[in-house]
Amino acid sequence: MTDLAGWKVLVTAGGTREPIDPVRYIGNRSSGKMGNAIAVDAAARGAMVTLVTTMDPADFDGAVVRVETAAEMADAVWSRLAEQDVVVMAAAVADFRPTATHTTKLSRSDGPPVIVLEPAPDILAGVVERNHGAFIVGFAAETGSLARAVEKAVAKGVDLLLANDVLAEGSGFGTVTNQVTVIMPDGTTDPWPLVSKAEVASRLWDLVADLRSRQD
Ligand code: CTP
């Protein structure tokens, strides 16, 4: 199937790592599998795909930009935004980062360090602010209720949001399956069944192709 031929697509994947010192970082449990599957499926369907990821890509032969921090991911995404038709923000990005990175390893003998945090760049907000016509897909990882995800879908300026409950069986970080709920900018929701991440990716591209064809 080459229904995405001619599309330029950028996908973010993985969890950012915000360094404390050369050895430690503040990170999260994202495996990058969902974003990777979305990039792989888009490429298989003929899109020209750029995968901005913190993880080693699997089964993907498009362009890869490896990053660590939210700031690096922000640069990678914002600098490539103008060329894109679709941007999918599947990465789990730090909301806060240490104000300073120690240049040498903190030592136990110095006692517990005080780590002061500051906001990390909000990449999605920057994408929406700079956007000139790309179709934007956001993600929301929630724990329990999806009520906040509905608020995010309405407030963030995305074209659609995929929400999942990371505490639900089969949907947590690192799983090969996922149960997502699609939320439209008007707040309407469509829960998809628990399926493989590859199947979520395929359904996502079917939906985006359908929604974009109606925008033309
Ligand atoms: N995101 C981002 N930059 C950040 C944090 C999140 O671009 N610094 C993106 C994620 O990639 C995702 C979307 O924003 O597509 C929603 O992420 P989420 O963490 O659910 O949203 P927050 O607004 O950070 O909400 P919360 O209050 O739950 O932290």
Side-chain angles (χ1 to χ4, degrees):
M1 190 159 54
T2 53
D3 59 332
L4 309 189
W7 288 28
K8 290 192 175 141
V9 166
L10 184 145
V11 181
T12 69
T16 59
R17 295 172 173 181
E18 308 300 327
I20 296 168
D21 69 12
V23 179
R24 293 89 168 199
Y25 59 83
I26 297 176
N28 63 69
R29 296 182 190 278
S30 171
S31 65
K33 289 193 169 100
M34 190 64 256
N36 196 96
I38 291 167
V40 167
D41 195 64
R45 292 166 73 153
M48 196 181 291
V49 185
T50 303
L51 176 60
V52 179
T53 181
T54 66
M55 309 298 279
D56 286 332
D59 306 320
F60 176 70
D61 49 19
V64 175
V65 184
R66 277 294 300 262
V67 297
E68 281 262 322
T69 64
E72 289 168 8
M73 187 174 278
D75 281 349
V77 173
W78 294 340
S79 65
R80 290 169 177 80
L81 180 62
E83 307 133 41
Q84 308 306 325
D85 298 304
V86 183
V87 178
V88 181
M89 306 280 297
V93 185
D95 286 317
F96 299 100
R97 64 184 177 194
T99 52
T101 303
H102 291 266
T103 51
T104 53
K105 187 184 169 198
L106 293 167
S107 171
R108 182 182 182 90
S109 59
D110 294 333
V114 174
I115 299 169
V116 180
L117 303 180
E118 64 183 7
D122 185 335
I123 305 173
L124 181 54
V127 164
V128 170
E129 211 176 274
R130 293 164 172 78
N131 188 27
H132 293 287
F135 188 99
I136 312 289
V137 181
F139 270 73
E142 304 294 338
T143 49
S145 155
L146 294 187
R148 293 212 47 248
V150 175
E151 288 170 22
K152 290 176 192 177
V154 176
K156 281 186 185 282
V158 294
D159 294 289
L160 66 89
L161 191 89
L162 295 194
N164 68 334
D165 177 358
V166 295
L167 297 182
E169 188 71 36
S171 288
F173 292 120
T175 57
V176 293
T177 55
N178 204 2
Q179 193 278 308
V180 305
T181 295
V182 175
I183 312 179
M184 300 304 293
D186 64 2
T188 53
T189 61
D190 179 17
W192 288 353
L194 178 66
V195 290
S196 68
K197 285 181 176 173
E199 175 68 20
V200 172
S202 158
R203 283 170 172 254
L204 172 63
W205 289 118
D206 289 347
L207 177 60
V208 174
D210 180 42
L211 292 170
R212 284 194 79 217
S213 73
R214 286 194 248 156
Q215 281 179 343
D216 296 338

